[in-house]
Amino acid sequence: MYHKRDISWLSFNHRVLQEAKDPLVPLYERIKFLAIYSSNLDEFFRVRVSALRQFQKMDKQERKSMLEVKPKKELREIKKIVHQQQVEFGIIFRSQIIPALREHNIFLLNDYQLFSSAQKQFAQAYFLEKVLPHLQHQYISTAVDVPFLKNRSLYFVGRLAQSDELGLVNIPSDVLPRFIALPGDEHQFQVTFLDEIIRANLHHLFPEGMQSAYSIKISRDAELYIDDEYTGDLREKIRASLANRSIGAPTRMLYDSSMNIELTQQLKSIFGLSKNDLFPGARYHNFSDFFAFPAPAHVEGLYDAPMPPLPHPVLEHADSIIKVMQQQDVLLHFPYQKYDYIPQLIEEVAQDPQVESIKITLYRVAKDSSIAKALVKAQKNGKSVTVFVEVKARFDEASNLLWGETLQKAGARVIYSRPGIKVHSKILLIGRREAEQLRNYTYLGTGNFNEKTATLYTDHALLTADERLANEVADVFRLLEEVSLEGSFQHLMVSPVNSRRKFVACIEREIQHAKSGRAAWMMLKMNSLEDTAMIDKLYEASQAGVKIKLIIRGICCLVPGVPGLSENIEVISIIDRFLEHARVYQFANGGEEALFLASADWMTRNLDRRVEVVFPIYNLTLKQELVNILQLQWADNVKARMLNAEQDNPYKAVSTEEAPVQAQKEIYFKLRTALETNK
């Protein structure tokens, strides 16, 4: 018994929408969650829906051997759920967000007739000076070549007055701000859509007049279909395929639901769409643009209270991070604590005459990466720098390729993706000559070497010189350099070598403890739980009496609480200001608790088709630190939702006597308190 992956993902995105609905969330944070929901949904259609479309084209028997769901039926179900969520989205925006903005004297003017005469003059001048140079308009009909609509771009379309032709014009929100502050009353902050300024000036483009202008948007297939990827230069193939992403097949046309049926059907015919491609929406699309919704100055309470990253109690005043690592393991918690120490570490070893080599895996590289810059400096200082750059990291391929070339030009050894497998591990290895021997220092993390996401994603990172771990990280790099997927690891779990087998062994051990009457439990935190073999193993453990607590942010194909199957399994999901990204696996282990951090979720791809590293925490103090964080997350009764068979995302029930626990705030406050206590 499993939830379907894509339906479970839509349930996750509904949890994001719940944050936009929550009146306890500051207003501009609610607007941000509307933007996140919209951005997530765009990617879902560009990737997952496009994949289902590709499956539809396959031979029926071949498709059955590869896919458990029926694509056509799945697409119908997706469309129904998305429509329900879009209706809820519209209600939240119109009935909650807009009135709440007004309460703060912020007005989003969505009708040109509401503009004052001064604002109309401003809008016309803005149109002629700023907007008109970026517009491309055209006349279309079924008798002429079909115009190409760019992926995720906005357009106005409408029937021209006294004509069978249609007019089409782009809304250039890719080069101009989507929202424009209007001049007006100093006591009111008035904003309008770029769309409205264009709508009011369409007569400059179509002198004959347009009956009504409706907004539309096409989402296109974002997969990079690389023919024969197992031969040739994969880097060059990906570079060549990136251009195809913008011209992929349509997967959704979002249109203004006030558009009449005749025009909708005409567009369907012109652009060669099916009825399942058509999604009615509101007057405006691309709500991801609300990430940049302008705010008035000096208005309090619009955003979350600041939680600036905290200094680490040991690293902040250390003269040398390497010297700290020689004495003790260090555990970092992002974004609660500073990420600065990681580029600082690479900067330090770049200058250290005893350091001979640096090796690192880069999966998603920030555009202005301080990590990559420090690696360039290390190479120029004569260190042997080896960088494994994953060029198949979706939507980050271009940035990864750019930094790969930069490092290569500096003289670093850059190894690009291996065909057929992704390197998703987050590891760094420093080789330092000490007393005529090479000693290894390592960083193992749950999140990317990316200083931007380190301010938004919750992750953990271990800095250690423990030979048990550091020497095995060296073995992982050896496998990567030798293009081998075979090895022996005693302390690390490494996908696809042994992580599935070792995780299964951990579960089996709990099953045996339960059958012997001993305490048996596990608490597992991950982004996604999709692999059916691992789910079956959890079901088996539940039936044996093992108590299982799961914290799953996104996809969860396991169905909890089913009598005789999963009654000993509880699942919660936490959606809050930071994106929960860490993977933590804790097992009772007969009283000697085992705790692992990982780059890997329990998805088939993470266990079988990616290079992942799962690492134990041996230091008892650090282990307890992580346990305390896990327990706070499980106790969350403010942002935690219960995942259930219905997938309706109820908030965790709270009794009147129970104190509110918002895990992310509690974790931050406890780390800050510990820091102040140790001063």
Side-chain angles (χ1 to χ4, degrees):
M1 185 176 186
Y2 317 106
H3 287 309
K4 287 185 277 190
R5 170 181 167 158
D6 291 331
I7 305 307
S8 178
W9 185 92
L10 289 172
S11 179
F12 150 69
N13 211 29
H14 180 256
R15 296 193 285 279
V16 174
L17 196 55
Q18 286 179 318
E19 287 299 292
K21 191 176 183 178
D22 186 350
L24 298 178
V25 175
L27 178 56
Y28 270 56
E29 304 297 343
R30 294 173 68 185
I31 292 172
K32 179 192 72 176
F33 278 110
L34 288 178
I36 294 171
Y37 171 88
S38 180
S39 178
N40 286 350
L41 195 61
D42 267 340
E43 183 173 337
F44 177 77
F45 272 90
R46 295 177 67 200
V47 177
R48 295 300 302 174
V49 171
S50 68
L52 288 169
R53 296 282 168 78
Q54 293 299 322
F55 276 117
Q56 270 190 305
K57 298 175 185 176
M58 292 174 60
D59 174 76
K60 190 174 181 180
Q61 292 304 316
E62 185 183 3
R63 186 175 69 218
K64 278 185 175 181
S65 68
M66 297 177 64
L67 198 66
E68 294 181 0
V69 299
K70 296 179 179 178
K72 190 174 182 180
K73 183 179 179 182
E74 185 92 343
L75 288 167
R76 281 200 302 266
E77 190 174 359
I78 286 169
K79 184 172 183 179
K80 179 182 177 182
I81 293 170
V82 169
H83 176 68
Q84 292 169 344
Q85 291 182 1
Q86 293 285 80
V87 169
E88 185 176 357
F89 184 106
I91 292 171
I92 293 168
F93 181 66
R94 292 189 305 273
S95 303
Q96 296 183 25
I97 300 299
I98 294 296
L101 285 169
R102 289 179 188 140
E103 290 176 11
H104 289 86
N105 287 320
I106 303 168
F107 295 86
L108 180 55
L109 304 185
N110 60 357
D111 187 339
Y112 188 71
Q113 300 309 314
L114 298 174
F115 288 22
S116 68
S117 58
Q119 288 171 340
K120 287 179 179 178
Q121 289 178 0
F122 168 85
Q124 185 166 24
Y126 186 88
F127 175 82
L128 294 173
E129 182 182 347
K130 302 287 188 182
V131 182
L132 188 57
H134 298 289
L135 296 182
Q136 295 95 39
H137 69 288
Q138 56 189 305
Y139 296 85
I140 59 174
S141 71
T142 54
V144 298
D145 290 340
V146 178
F148 180 80
L149 302 187
K150 294 180 182 179
N151 177 55
R152 296 185 71 242
S153 292
L154 298 172
Y155 296 87
F156 276 133
V157 66
R159 194 171 305 284
L160 300 177
Q162 301 178 340
S163 170
D164 290 332
E165 284 189 304
L166 304 180
L168 180 78
V169 61
N170 64 308
I171 301 172
S173 57
D174 55 337
V175 292
L176 293 174
R178 184 74 186 283
F179 302 101
I180 295 97
L182 295 170
D185 188 333
E186 64 180 39
H187 300 295
Q188 292 185 351
F189 185 72
Q190 296 183 324
V191 180
T192 193
F193 283 93
L194 173 65
D195 315 35
E196 287 310 309
I197 291 178
I198 297 173
R199 196 192 299 267
N201 286 278
L202 286 173
H203 59 277
H204 289 287
L205 306 173
F206 303 104
E208 60 270 69
M210 187 179 283
Q211 294 176 12
S212 291
Y214 302 100
S215 179
I216 61 172
K217 181 185 84 168
I218 291 280
S219 295
R220 295 187 177 276
D221 185 344
E223 279 300 306
L224 300 179
Y225 298 104
I226 303 169
D227 295 332
D228 191 21
E229 75 160 21
Y230 291 91
T231 62
D233 190 331
L234 186 61
R235 174 180 48 152
E236 291 306 316
K237 290 183 178 184
I238 287 176
R239 190 195 307 280
S241 296
L242 282 173
N244 295 332
R245 178 168 281 164
S246 61
I247 60 173
T251 58
R252 174 177 65 152
M253 187 180 85
L254 194 60
Y255 63 93
D256 185 337
S257 59
S258 66
M259 184 187 293
N260 61 61
I261 295 176
E262 181 185 358
L263 179 54
T264 305
Q265 292 303 310
Q266 189 173 352
L267 292 174
K268 174 173 170 282
S269 173
I270 288 172
F271 294 110
L273 304 170
S274 74
K275 64 180 181 179
N276 288 327
D277 296 325
L278 303 178
F279 285 78
R283 181 179 173 92
Y284 306 100
H285 313 314
N286 265 12
F287 262 69
S288 56
D289 289 337
F290 272 85
F291 280 119
F293 188 67
H298 313 302
V299 177
E300 295 183 356
L302 296 180
Y303 296 97
D304 283 323
M307 288 172 61
L310 300 166
H312 188 276
V314 176
L315 296 182
E316 182 66 12
H317 301 292
D319 296 329
S320 163
I321 296 177
I322 283 289
K323 287 181 180 177
V324 172
M325 294 172 69
Q326 288 172 348
Q327 302 300 318
Q328 64 183 93
D329 288 353
V330 176
L331 191 63
L332 287 158
H333 312 289
F334 311 125
Y336 307 111
Q337 294 174 324
K338 292 180 181 179
Y339 189 76
D340 305 15
Y341 307 113
I342 309 310
Q344 183 182 326
L345 170 63
I346 301 176
E347 289 271 1
E348 177 187 330
V349 299
Q351 307 290 340
D352 187 339
Q354 291 179 259
V355 169
E356 296 182 359
S357 63
I358 302 171
K359 298 181 181 183
I360 193 170
T361 58
L362 296 180
Y363 187 73
R364 295 193 187 277
V365 190
K367 288 183 179 178
D368 188 30
S369 173
S370 58
I371 297 284
K373 289 177 183 176
L375 291 168
V376 169
K377 186 179 293 185
Q379 179 63 41
K380 289 181 177 178
N381 286 349
K383 311 304 177 189
S384 171
V385 176
T386 302
V387 184
F388 198 102
V389 178
E390 179 51 73
V391 294
K392 298 192 296 293
R394 186 184 290 126
F395 302 128
D396 284 286
E397 300 95 342
S399 178
N400 289 6
L401 282 169
L402 178 63
W403 275 114
E405 290 171 357
T406 302
L407 286 159
Q408 216 163 14
K409 286 176 183 176
R413 182 188 181 198
V414 178
I415 304 172
Y416 290 99
S417 301
R418 302 302 187 195
I421 194 163
K422 281 187 178 182
V423 176
H424 192 248
S425 56
K426 293 81 169 71
I427 51 176
L428 164 69
L429 183 72
I430 298 160
R432 189 171 189 267
R433 183 68 56 181
E434 298 175 7
E436 303 304 318
Q437 290 187 330
L438 193 67
R439 185 178 185 186
N440 289 320
Y441 296 78
T442 191
Y443 165 108
L444 298 123
T446 67
N448 297 305
F449 289 101
N450 187 312
E451 48 268 55
K452 182 179 178 182
T453 57
T455 65
L456 304 169
Y457 295 7
T458 69
D459 276 302
H460 308 293
L462 178 68
L463 296 174
T464 183
D466 186 326
E467 290 183 357
R468 294 172 293 182
L469 303 179
N471 291 349
E472 289 199 355
V473 169
D475 290 337
V476 175
F477 277 105
R478 196 169 298 117
L479 293 185
L480 293 175
E481 293 175 77
E482 294 173 357
V483 201
S484 170
L485 294 178
E486 295 182 2
S488 177
F489 298 93
Q490 181 180 350
H491 301 279
L492 299 180
M493 303 185 202
V494 179
S495 296
V497 178
N498 67 356
S499 57
R500 178 185 291 277
R501 173 170 52 83
K502 286 203 168 188
F503 272 133
V504 168
C506 289
I507 300 173
E508 284 280 4
R509 192 163 55 229
E510 298 305 320
I511 291 172
Q512 294 308 313
H513 286 311
K515 287 180 177 179
S516 301
R518 294 186 290 271
W521 54 264
M522 62 188 85
M523 184 179 288
L524 315 176
K525 181 189 176 189
M526 61 194 93
N527 295 329
S528 299
L529 172 57
E530 169 262 352
D531 185 83
T532 54
M534 298 306 294
I535 291 171
D536 288 344
K537 208 68 195 173
L538 292 176
Y539 286 156
E540 182 185 341
S542 172
Q543 292 167 54
V546 179
K547 300 296 182 183
I548 302 170
K549 295 177 179 179
L550 302 176
I551 304 173
I552 312 290
R553 171 173 57 86
I555 296 165
C556 181
C557 295
L558 178 147
V559 185
V562 178
L565 180 71
S566 58
E567 68 266 38
N568 286 314
I569 304 177
E570 297 177 86
V571 191
I572 66 169
S573 179
I574 297 172
I575 305 292
D576 203 346
R577 67 187 289 173
F578 301 130
L579 183 137
E580 292 291 339
H581 191 251
R583 293 85 165 184
V584 187
Y585 301 94
Q586 183 189 16
F587 301 91
N589 194 30
E592 296 182 10
E593 294 178 17
L595 191 145
F596 303 88
L597 299 177
S599 60
D601 293 310
W602 281 3
M603 301 183 76
T604 305
R605 68 187 188 190
N606 299 110
L607 299 171
D608 298 337
R609 298 194 300 275
R610 290 185 173 187
V611 177
E612 307 272 12
V613 174
V614 184
F615 52 101
I617 300 299
Y618 288 137
N619 181 289
L620 296 179
T621 302
L622 299 184
K623 183 188 289 188
Q624 188 58 51
E625 197 172 297
L626 282 165
V627 169
N628 292 342
I629 289 173
L630 265 185
Q631 289 175 344
L632 274 174
Q633 290 169 332
W634 186 258
D636 192 308
N637 55 21
V638 175
K639 294 298 183 181
R641 280 72 147 179
M642 303 300 299
L643 301 194
N644 55 21
E646 293 76 24
Q647 299 193 89
D648 54 359
N649 297 318
Y651 283 86
K652 187 187 277 190
V654 186
S655 67
T656 53
E657 299 83 18
E658 200 174 347
V661 177
Q662 190 170 347
Q664 291 188 358
K665 285 185 178 180
E666 293 291 333
I667 292 166
Y668 183 82
F669 293 148
K670 286 189 180 297
L671 288 172
R672 189 175 68 183
T673 301
L675 181 68
E676 292 168 351
T677 303
N678 290 330
K679 279 184 178 178

